[in-house]
CSV table of all heavy atoms in Angstrom, one decimal:
chain,number,residue,atom,x,y,z
I,14,MET,N,96.5,100.6,-18.4
I,14,MET,CA,96.2,99.2,-18.1
I,14,MET,C,94.9,99.1,-17.4
I,14,MET,O,94.6,99.8,-16.4
I,14,MET,CB,97.3,98.6,-17.3
I,14,MET,CG,97.2,97.1,-17.2
I,14,MET,SD,98.3,96.4,-15.9
I,14,MET,CE,97.2,96.3,-14.6
I,15,SER,N,94.0,98.2,-17.8
I,15,SER,CA,92.8,98.0,-17.2
I,15,SER,C,92.7,96.6,-16.6
I,15,SER,O,93.2,95.7,-17.2
I,15,SER,CB,91.6,98.2,-18.2
I,15,SER,OG,91.8,99.4,-18.9
I,16,ASP,N,92.0,96.6,-15.5
I,16,ASP,CA,91.8,95.3,-14.8
I,16,ASP,C,90.7,94.4,-15.5
I,16,ASP,O,90.8,93.3,-15.6
I,16,ASP,CB,91.5,95.5,-13.4
I,16,ASP,CG,92.7,96.0,-12.6
I,16,ASP,OD1,93.8,95.7,-13.0
I,16,ASP,OD2,92.5,96.7,-11.6
I,17,PHE,N,89.7,95.1,-15.9
I,17,PHE,CA,88.6,94.4,-16.7
I,17,PHE,C,87.8,95.3,-17.5
I,17,PHE,O,87.9,96.6,-17.4
I,17,PHE,CB,87.8,93.6,-15.7
I,17,PHE,CG,87.3,94.3,-14.5
I,17,PHE,CD1,86.0,94.9,-14.5
I,17,PHE,CD2,88.1,94.3,-13.3
I,17,PHE,CE1,85.6,95.5,-13.3
I,17,PHE,CE2,87.6,95.0,-12.2
I,17,PHE,CZ,86.3,95.6,-12.2
I,18,GLN,N,86.9,94.8,-18.3
I,18,GLN,CA,86.1,95.5,-19.2
I,18,GLN,C,84.7,95.4,-18.8
I,18,GLN,O,84.2,94.3,-18.5
I,18,GLN,CB,86.2,94.9,-20.6
I,18,GLN,CG,87.6,94.8,-21.1
I,18,GLN,CD,88.1,96.0,-21.8
I,18,GLN,OE1,87.3,96.7,-22.5
I,18,GLN,NE2,89.4,96.4,-21.7
I,19,ILE,N,84.0,96.5,-18.8
I,19,ILE,CA,82.6,96.5,-18.5
I,19,ILE,C,81.8,97.2,-19.7
I,19,ILE,O,82.4,98.2,-20.2
I,19,ILE,CB,82.2,97.1,-17.2
I,19,ILE,CG1,82.7,98.5,-17.1
I,19,ILE,CG2,82.7,96.3,-16.0
I,19,ILE,CD1,82.0,99.3,-15.9
I,20,PRO,N,80.6,96.8,-20.0
I,20,PRO,CA,79.9,97.4,-21.1
I,20,PRO,C,79.3,98.8,-20.6
I,20,PRO,O,78.8,98.8,-19.5
I,20,PRO,CB,78.8,96.4,-21.4
I,20,PRO,CG,78.6,95.6,-20.2
I,20,PRO,CD,79.9,95.6,-19.5
I,21,CYS,N,79.4,99.8,-21.5
I,21,CYS,CA,78.7,101.0,-21.2
I,21,CYS,C,77.2,100.8,-21.1
I,21,CYS,O,76.7,100.2,-22.0
I,21,CYS,CB,79.1,102.0,-22.3
I,21,CYS,SG,78.1,103.5,-22.2
I,22,PRO,N,76.6,101.4,-20.1
I,22,PRO,CA,75.1,101.2,-20.0
I,22,PRO,C,74.4,101.9,-21.1
I,22,PRO,O,73.2,101.6,-21.4
I,22,PRO,CB,74.8,101.8,-18.6
I,22,PRO,CG,75.9,102.6,-18.2
I,22,PRO,CD,77.1,102.1,-18.9
I,23,LYS,N,75.0,102.9,-21.7
I,23,LYS,CA,74.3,103.7,-22.8
I,23,LYS,C,74.5,103.1,-24.2
I,23,LYS,O,73.5,103.1,-25.0
I,23,LYS,CB,74.7,105.1,-22.8
I,23,LYS,CG,74.2,105.9,-21.6
I,23,LYS,CD,74.6,107.3,-21.5
I,23,LYS,CE,74.1,108.0,-20.2
I,23,LYS,NZ,74.9,109.2,-19.9
I,24,CYS,N,75.7,102.6,-24.5
I,24,CYS,CA,75.9,102.2,-25.9
I,24,CYS,C,76.4,100.7,-25.9
I,24,CYS,O,76.5,100.2,-27.0
I,24,CYS,CB,76.9,103.1,-26.6
I,24,CYS,SG,78.5,103.1,-26.0
I,25,GLY,N,76.8,100.2,-24.8
I,25,GLY,CA,77.2,98.8,-24.7
I,25,GLY,C,78.7,98.5,-25.1
I,25,GLY,O,79.1,97.4,-25.2
I,26,ARG,N,79.4,99.6,-25.4
I,26,ARG,CA,80.8,99.4,-25.8
I,26,ARG,C,81.6,99.0,-24.5
I,26,ARG,O,81.4,99.5,-23.4
I,26,ARG,CB,81.4,100.7,-26.3
I,26,ARG,CG,81.0,101.1,-27.7
I,26,ARG,CD,81.6,102.5,-28.0
I,26,ARG,NE,80.7,103.2,-28.9
I,26,ARG,CZ,81.1,103.4,-30.2
I,26,ARG,NH1,82.2,103.0,-30.6
I,26,ARG,NH2,80.2,104.0,-31.0
I,27,ASN,N,82.6,98.1,-24.7
I,27,ASN,CA,83.4,97.7,-23.6
I,27,ASN,C,84.3,98.9,-23.2
I,27,ASN,O,84.9,99.6,-24.0
I,27,ASN,CB,84.3,96.5,-24.0
I,27,ASN,CG,83.6,95.2,-23.9
I,27,ASN,OD1,82.6,95.1,-23.2
I,27,ASN,ND2,84.1,94.2,-24.6
I,28,THR,N,84.3,99.1,-21.9
I,28,THR,CA,85.1,100.2,-21.3
I,28,THR,C,86.1,99.6,-20.3
I,28,THR,O,85.7,98.8,-19.4
I,28,THR,CB,84.1,101.2,-20.6
I,28,THR,OG1,83.1,101.6,-21.5
I,28,THR,CG2,84.9,102.4,-20.1
I,29,GLY,N,87.3,99.9,-20.4
I,29,GLY,CA,88.3,99.3,-19.5
I,29,GLY,C,88.4,100.1,-18.2
I,29,GLY,O,88.5,101.3,-18.2
I,30,VAL,N,88.2,99.4,-17.1
I,30,VAL,CA,88.3,100.0,-15.8
I,30,VAL,C,89.2,99.3,-14.9
I,30,VAL,O,89.5,98.1,-15.1
I,30,VAL,CB,86.9,100.1,-15.1
I,30,VAL,CG1,85.9,100.9,-16.0
I,30,VAL,CG2,86.3,98.7,-14.9
I,31,LYS,N,89.7,100.0,-13.9
I,31,LYS,CA,90.6,99.4,-12.9
I,31,LYS,C,89.8,99.0,-11.7
I,31,LYS,O,88.7,99.6,-11.4
I,31,LYS,CB,91.7,100.3,-12.5
I,31,LYS,CG,92.7,100.6,-13.6
I,31,LYS,CD,93.7,101.6,-13.1
I,31,LYS,CE,94.7,101.9,-14.3
I,31,LYS,NZ,95.6,102.9,-13.9
I,32,LEU,N,90.3,98.0,-11.0
I,32,LEU,CA,89.6,97.6,-9.8
I,32,LEU,C,89.4,98.8,-8.8
I,32,LEU,O,88.4,98.9,-8.2
I,32,LEU,CB,90.5,96.5,-9.1
I,32,LEU,CG,89.8,95.6,-8.1
I,32,LEU,CD1,88.6,94.9,-8.7
I,32,LEU,CD2,90.7,94.6,-7.6
I,33,GLU,N,90.5,99.6,-8.7
I,33,GLU,CA,90.4,100.7,-7.8
I,33,GLU,C,89.3,101.7,-8.2
I,33,GLU,O,88.7,102.4,-7.4
I,33,GLU,CB,91.7,101.5,-7.8
I,33,GLU,CG,92.7,100.9,-6.8
I,33,GLU,CD,93.9,101.9,-6.6
I,33,GLU,OE1,93.7,103.1,-6.4
I,33,GLU,OE2,95.0,101.3,-6.7
I,34,ASP,N,89.1,101.9,-9.5
I,34,ASP,CA,88.0,102.7,-10.0
I,34,ASP,C,86.7,102.3,-9.5
I,34,ASP,O,85.8,103.1,-9.1
I,34,ASP,CB,87.9,102.8,-11.5
I,34,ASP,CG,89.2,103.4,-12.1
I,34,ASP,OD1,89.8,104.2,-11.4
I,34,ASP,OD2,89.5,103.1,-13.3
I,35,VAL,N,86.5,101.0,-9.5
I,35,VAL,CA,85.2,100.4,-9.0
I,35,VAL,C,85.1,100.6,-7.5
I,35,VAL,O,84.1,101.0,-7.0
I,35,VAL,CB,85.1,98.9,-9.4
I,35,VAL,CG1,83.8,98.3,-8.9
I,35,VAL,CG2,85.2,98.7,-10.9
I,36,ALA,N,86.2,100.3,-6.8
I,36,ALA,CA,86.2,100.4,-5.4
I,36,ALA,C,85.9,101.8,-4.9
I,36,ALA,O,85.2,102.0,-3.9
I,36,ALA,CB,87.6,100.0,-4.8
I,37,LYS,N,86.4,102.8,-5.7
I,37,LYS,CA,86.1,104.2,-5.3
I,37,LYS,C,84.8,104.7,-6.0
I,37,LYS,O,84.5,105.9,-5.9
I,37,LYS,CB,87.3,105.1,-5.6
I,37,LYS,CG,88.4,104.8,-4.7
I,37,LYS,CD,89.7,105.5,-5.0
I,37,LYS,CE,90.8,105.1,-4.0
I,37,LYS,NZ,92.1,105.7,-4.5
I,38,GLN,N,84.2,103.9,-6.7
I,38,GLN,CA,82.9,104.2,-7.5
I,38,GLN,C,83.1,105.5,-8.3
I,38,GLN,O,82.3,106.4,-8.2
I,38,GLN,CB,81.7,104.3,-6.5
I,38,GLN,CG,81.6,103.0,-5.7
I,38,GLN,CD,80.3,102.9,-5.0
I,38,GLN,OE1,79.2,102.9,-5.6
I,38,GLN,NE2,80.3,102.7,-3.7
I,39,ARG,N,84.2,105.5,-9.0
I,39,ARG,CA,84.5,106.6,-9.9
I,39,ARG,C,83.6,106.7,-11.1
I,39,ARG,O,83.0,105.7,-11.5
I,39,ARG,CB,85.9,106.5,-10.4
I,39,ARG,CG,87.0,106.9,-9.3
I,39,ARG,CD,88.4,106.9,-9.9
I,39,ARG,NE,89.3,107.1,-8.9
I,39,ARG,CZ,90.5,106.5,-8.7
I,39,ARG,NH1,90.8,105.6,-9.6
I,39,ARG,NH2,91.3,106.8,-7.8
I,40,THR,N,83.5,107.9,-11.6
I,40,THR,CA,82.9,108.1,-12.9
I,40,THR,C,83.9,107.9,-14.0
I,40,THR,O,84.9,108.5,-14.0
I,40,THR,CB,82.3,109.5,-13.0
I,40,THR,OG1,81.3,109.7,-11.9
I,40,THR,CG2,81.6,109.7,-14.3
I,41,VAL,N,83.5,107.0,-15.0
I,41,VAL,CA,84.4,106.7,-16.1
I,41,VAL,C,83.7,107.1,-17.4
I,41,VAL,O,82.5,107.2,-17.5
I,41,VAL,CB,84.9,105.3,-16.1
I,41,VAL,CG1,85.7,104.9,-14.8
I,41,VAL,CG2,83.7,104.3,-16.2
I,42,SER,N,84.5,107.1,-18.5
I,42,SER,CA,83.9,107.4,-19.8
I,42,SER,C,84.2,106.2,-20.7
I,42,SER,O,85.3,105.7,-20.7
I,42,SER,CB,84.4,108.7,-20.4
I,42,SER,OG,85.8,108.7,-20.5
I,43,CYS,N,83.2,105.8,-21.5
I,43,CYS,CA,83.4,104.8,-22.5
I,43,CYS,C,84.1,105.3,-23.7
I,43,CYS,O,84.3,106.5,-23.8
I,43,CYS,CB,82.0,104.2,-22.8
I,43,CYS,SG,81.1,105.1,-24.1
I,44,PRO,N,84.5,104.5,-24.7
I,44,PRO,CA,85.2,104.9,-25.9
I,44,PRO,C,84.4,106.0,-26.7
I,44,PRO,O,85.0,106.7,-27.4
I,44,PRO,CB,85.5,103.7,-26.7
I,44,PRO,CG,85.4,102.6,-25.7
I,44,PRO,CD,84.5,103.0,-24.6
I,45,ALA,N,83.1,105.9,-26.5
I,45,ALA,CA,82.2,106.9,-27.2
I,45,ALA,C,82.0,108.2,-26.4
I,45,ALA,O,81.4,109.1,-26.9
I,45,ALA,CB,80.9,106.3,-27.6
I,46,GLY,N,82.6,108.2,-25.2
I,46,GLY,CA,82.5,109.5,-24.5
I,46,GLY,C,81.4,109.6,-23.5
I,46,GLY,O,81.2,110.6,-22.9
I,47,HIS,N,80.6,108.5,-23.3
I,47,HIS,CA,79.5,108.6,-22.3
I,47,HIS,C,80.1,108.5,-20.9
I,47,HIS,O,81.0,107.6,-20.7
I,47,HIS,CB,78.5,107.4,-22.5
I,47,HIS,CG,77.9,107.4,-23.8
I,47,HIS,ND1,78.0,106.3,-24.7
I,47,HIS,CD2,77.1,108.3,-24.5
I,47,HIS,CE1,77.3,106.6,-25.8
I,47,HIS,NE2,76.8,107.8,-25.7
I,48,LEU,N,79.6,109.3,-20.0
I,48,LEU,CA,80.1,109.2,-18.6
I,48,LEU,C,79.1,108.3,-17.8
I,48,LEU,O,77.9,108.5,-18.0
I,48,LEU,CB,80.2,110.6,-18.0
I,48,LEU,CG,81.2,111.5,-18.6
I,48,LEU,CD1,81.1,112.9,-17.9
I,48,LEU,CD2,82.6,111.0,-18.4
I,49,PHE,N,79.7,107.4,-17.1
I,49,PHE,CA,78.8,106.7,-16.2
I,49,PHE,C,79.5,106.3,-14.9
I,49,PHE,O,80.7,106.2,-14.9
I,49,PHE,CB,78.2,105.4,-16.8
I,49,PHE,CG,79.2,104.4,-17.3
I,49,PHE,CD1,79.5,103.3,-16.5
I,49,PHE,CD2,79.8,104.6,-18.5
I,49,PHE,CE1,80.4,102.4,-16.9
I,49,PHE,CE2,80.7,103.6,-19.0
I,49,PHE,CZ,81.0,102.5,-18.2
I,50,GLU,N,78.7,106.2,-13.8
I,50,GLU,CA,79.3,105.9,-12.5
I,50,GLU,C,79.4,104.4,-12.3
I,50,GLU,O,78.5,103.7,-12.5
I,50,GLU,CB,78.4,106.6,-11.5
I,50,GLU,CG,79.1,106.9,-10.2
I,50,GLU,CD,78.1,107.7,-9.2
I,50,GLU,OE1,77.6,108.7,-9.7
I,50,GLU,OE2,77.9,107.2,-8.1
I,51,LEU,N,80.6,104.0,-11.7
I,51,LEU,CA,80.8,102.6,-11.4
I,51,LEU,C,80.1,102.4,-10.0
I,51,LEU,O,80.2,103.2,-9.1
I,51,LEU,CB,82.2,102.3,-11.3
I,51,LEU,CG,83.0,102.5,-12.6
I,51,LEU,CD1,84.5,102.4,-12.4
I,51,LEU,CD2,82.6,101.5,-13.7
I,52,VAL,N,79.5,101.2,-9.9
I,52,VAL,CA,78.9,100.8,-8.7
I,52,VAL,C,79.6,99.5,-8.1
I,52,VAL,O,79.8,98.6,-8.9
I,52,VAL,CB,77.4,100.5,-8.8
I,52,VAL,CG1,76.8,100.1,-7.5
I,52,VAL,CG2,76.7,101.8,-9.4
I,53,ASP,N,80.1,99.6,-6.9
I,53,ASP,CA,80.7,98.5,-6.3
I,53,ASP,C,79.7,97.7,-5.5
I,53,ASP,O,79.4,98.0,-4.4
I,53,ASP,CB,81.8,99.0,-5.4
I,53,ASP,CG,82.7,97.9,-4.8
I,53,ASP,OD1,82.5,96.7,-5.2
I,53,ASP,OD2,83.5,98.1,-3.9
I,54,ASP,N,79.1,96.7,-6.2
I,54,ASP,CA,78.0,96.0,-5.6
I,54,ASP,C,78.5,95.2,-4.3
I,54,ASP,O,79.4,94.4,-4.4
I,54,ASP,CB,77.5,94.9,-6.6
I,54,ASP,CG,76.5,95.6,-7.5
I,54,ASP,OD1,75.7,96.5,-7.1
I,54,ASP,OD2,76.4,95.2,-8.7
I,55,GLY,N,77.9,95.5,-3.2
I,55,GLY,CA,78.3,94.8,-2.0
I,55,GLY,C,79.7,95.1,-1.5
I,55,GLY,O,80.1,94.5,-0.5
I,56,GLY,N,80.4,96.1,-2.1
I,56,GLY,CA,81.7,96.4,-1.6
I,56,GLY,C,82.8,95.4,-1.9
I,56,GLY,O,83.9,95.4,-1.3
I,57,GLY,N,82.6,94.5,-2.8
I,57,GLY,CA,83.5,93.4,-3.1
I,57,GLY,C,84.8,93.9,-3.7
I,57,GLY,O,85.9,93.5,-3.3
I,58,ALA,N,84.8,94.9,-4.6
I,58,ALA,CA,86.0,95.5,-5.2
I,58,ALA,C,86.8,96.2,-4.1
I,58,ALA,O,88.1,96.1,-4.1
I,58,ALA,CB,85.7,96.5,-6.3
I,59,LYS,N,86.2,96.9,-3.2
I,59,LYS,CA,86.9,97.6,-2.2
I,59,LYS,C,87.7,96.6,-1.3
I,59,LYS,O,88.8,96.8,-0.9
I,59,LYS,CB,85.9,98.4,-1.3
I,59,LYS,CG,86.7,99.4,-0.4
I,59,LYS,CD,85.7,100.2,0.4
I,59,LYS,CE,86.4,101.1,1.4
I,59,LYS,NZ,87.2,100.4,2.3
I,60,ASP,N,87.0,95.5,-1.0
I,60,ASP,CA,87.6,94.5,-0.1
I,60,ASP,C,88.9,94.0,-0.8
I,60,ASP,O,89.9,93.8,-0.1
I,60,ASP,CB,86.7,93.3,0.1
I,60,ASP,CG,85.5,93.7,1.1
I,60,ASP,OD1,85.7,94.7,1.7
I,60,ASP,OD2,84.6,92.9,1.1
I,61,VAL,N,88.8,93.7,-2.1
I,61,VAL,CA,90.0,93.2,-2.8
I,61,VAL,C,91.1,94.2,-2.8
I,61,VAL,O,92.3,93.9,-2.6
I,61,VAL,CB,89.6,92.8,-4.3
I,61,VAL,CG1,90.8,92.4,-5.1
I,61,VAL,CG2,88.6,91.7,-4.3
I,62,VAL,N,90.8,95.5,-3.1
I,62,VAL,CA,91.8,96.5,-3.1
I,62,VAL,C,92.5,96.7,-1.7
I,62,VAL,O,93.7,96.8,-1.6
I,62,VAL,CB,91.2,97.9,-3.5
I,62,VAL,CG1,92.2,99.0,-3.3
I,62,VAL,CG2,90.8,97.9,-5.0
I,63,ASP,N,91.7,96.6,-0.7
I,63,ASP,CA,92.2,96.7,0.7
I,63,ASP,C,93.2,95.5,0.9
I,63,ASP,O,94.2,95.7,1.5
I,63,ASP,CB,91.1,96.7,1.7
I,63,ASP,CG,90.3,98.0,1.8
I,63,ASP,OD1,90.8,99.0,1.2
I,63,ASP,OD2,89.2,98.0,2.3
I,64,LEU,N,92.8,94.4,0.4
I,64,LEU,CA,93.6,93.1,0.6
I,64,LEU,C,94.9,93.3,-0.1
I,64,LEU,O,96.0,93.0,0.4
I,64,LEU,CB,92.8,91.9,0.1
I,64,LEU,CG,93.1,90.6,0.7
I,64,LEU,CD1,92.8,90.5,2.1
I,64,LEU,CD2,92.4,89.5,-0.1
I,65,LEU,N,94.9,93.8,-1.3
I,65,LEU,CA,96.1,94.0,-2.1
I,65,LEU,C,97.0,95.0,-1.4
I,65,LEU,O,98.2,94.8,-1.4
I,65,LEU,CB,95.7,94.4,-3.5
I,65,LEU,CG,95.0,93.4,-4.4
I,65,LEU,CD1,94.6,94.0,-5.7
I,65,LEU,CD2,95.9,92.2,-4.7
I,66,LYS,N,96.5,96.0,-0.9
I,66,LYS,CA,97.3,97.0,-0.2
I,66,LYS,C,98.0,96.4,1.0
I,66,LYS,O,99.1,96.7,1.3
I,66,LYS,CB,96.4,98.2,0.2
I,66,LYS,CG,96.2,99.2,-0.9
I,66,LYS,CD,95.4,100.4,-0.5
I,66,LYS,CE,95.1,101.3,-1.7
I,66,LYS,NZ,94.0,102.1,-1.5
I,67,LYS,N,97.2,95.5,1.7
I,67,LYS,CA,97.8,94.9,2.9
I,67,LYS,C,99.0,94.1,2.5
I,67,LYS,O,100.0,94.0,3.3
I,67,LYS,CB,96.7,94.0,3.4
I,67,LYS,CG,96.8,93.7,4.9
I,67,LYS,CD,95.8,92.7,5.4
I,67,LYS,CE,94.6,93.3,6.1
I,67,LYS,NZ,93.7,92.2,6.6
I,68,PHE,N,99.0,93.6,1.3
I,68,PHE,CA,100.2,92.8,0.9
I,68,PHE,C,101.2,93.6,0.1
I,68,PHE,O,102.1,93.1,-0.5
I,68,PHE,CB,99.8,91.6,0.0
I,68,PHE,CG,99.1,90.5,0.9
I,68,PHE,CD1,97.7,90.4,0.8
I,68,PHE,CD2,99.8,89.7,1.7
I,68,PHE,CE1,97.0,89.4,1.6
I,68,PHE,CE2,99.2,88.7,2.4
I,68,PHE,CZ,97.8,88.6,2.4
I,69,GLY,N,101.0,94.9,0.2
I,69,GLY,CA,102.0,95.8,-0.3
I,69,GLY,C,102.1,96.0,-1.8
I,69,GLY,O,103.2,96.3,-2.4
I,70,ARG,N,101.0,95.7,-2.5
I,70,ARG,CA,101.0,95.9,-4.0
I,70,ARG,C,100.8,97.3,-4.4
I,70,ARG,O,99.9,97.9,-3.8
I,70,ARG,CB,100.0,95.0,-4.6
I,70,ARG,CG,100.3,94.7,-6.1
I,70,ARG,CD,99.2,94.2,-6.9
I,70,ARG,NE,98.4,95.3,-7.4
I,70,ARG,CZ,97.4,95.1,-8.3
I,70,ARG,NH1,97.1,94.0,-8.8
I,70,ARG,NH2,96.7,96.2,-8.8
R,101,LIG,ZN1,78.9,104.6,-24.2
């Protein structure tokens, strides 16, 4: 299950990522196999993950 789709910077294919992946700035692979690093701009994703954990999700 993915929280949202982001386009691969190399080929533009939609790649499903989880909010936590972004928060931890993990490296993910698109459907074509390109690896790229997620960037949490301004730490927004991390804040949301922290908030969800606080509510026990
Ligand atoms: Zn790609």
Side-chain angles (χ1 to χ4, degrees):
M14 191 194 94
S15 306
D16 289 330
F17 49 94
Q18 308 271 324
I19 57 164
C21 169
K23 285 179 185 160
C24 67
R26 286 173 209 253
N27 276 341
T28 306
V30 299
K31 291 179 183 172
L32 199 57
E33 272 190 50
D34 294 336
V35 181
K37 291 178 181 170
Q38 304 195 59
R39 284 185 183 139
T40 298
V41 297
S42 59
C43 81
H47 301 122
L48 293 175
F49 60 98
E50 204 173 308
L51 299 169
V52 178
D53 187 6
D54 280 325
K59 189 178 180 300
D60 288 346
V61 173
V62 169
D63 287 346
L64 203 65
L65 291 173
K66 278 182 184 157
K67 207 187 258 184
F68 288 103
R70 202 193 88 167

